[in-house]
Amino acid sequence: MQKKRRQPDPRVVRTRNMLKCALLELIGEKGYDSIRVQDIARRATLNRATFYLHYRVSG
């Protein structure tokens, strides 16, 4: 029996897209090395905790 693939939650898709767009904008403005998670969250108008719910940070 095959499992059905579930459609991704539109809220998750929208949130990840907002974070990705924010990152790309900031890279163009500040360069990659000077960007903080808080900068990305603020630009995406999301809470920093939301970033951590969607992405693992190494460092």
Side-chain angles (χ1 to χ4, degrees):
M1 180 193 284
Q2 291 182 338
K3 290 185 178 182
K4 289 185 179 180
R5 287 194 175 194
R6 293 175 22 190
Q7 292 284 356
D9 187 332
R11 296 170 296 181
V12 172
V13 173
R14 184 175 53 246
T15 298
R16 286 186 175 224
N17 189 46
M18 291 169 66
L19 290 167
K20 181 178 76 171
C21 289
L23 174 62
L24 293 174
E25 288 175 7
L26 287 166
I27 288 172
E29 292 174 18
K30 298 172 75 169
Y32 180 80
D33 290 330
S34 63
I35 298 172
R36 300 175 303 147
V37 170
Q38 182 62 44
D39 298 329
I40 299 168
R42 187 175 295 131
R43 177 64 60 98
T45 64
L46 296 168
N47 193 314
R48 192 177 73 198
T50 303
F51 177 93
Y52 291 114
L53 286 173
H54 291 271
Y55 296 101
R56 181 182 312 227
V57 177
S58 63

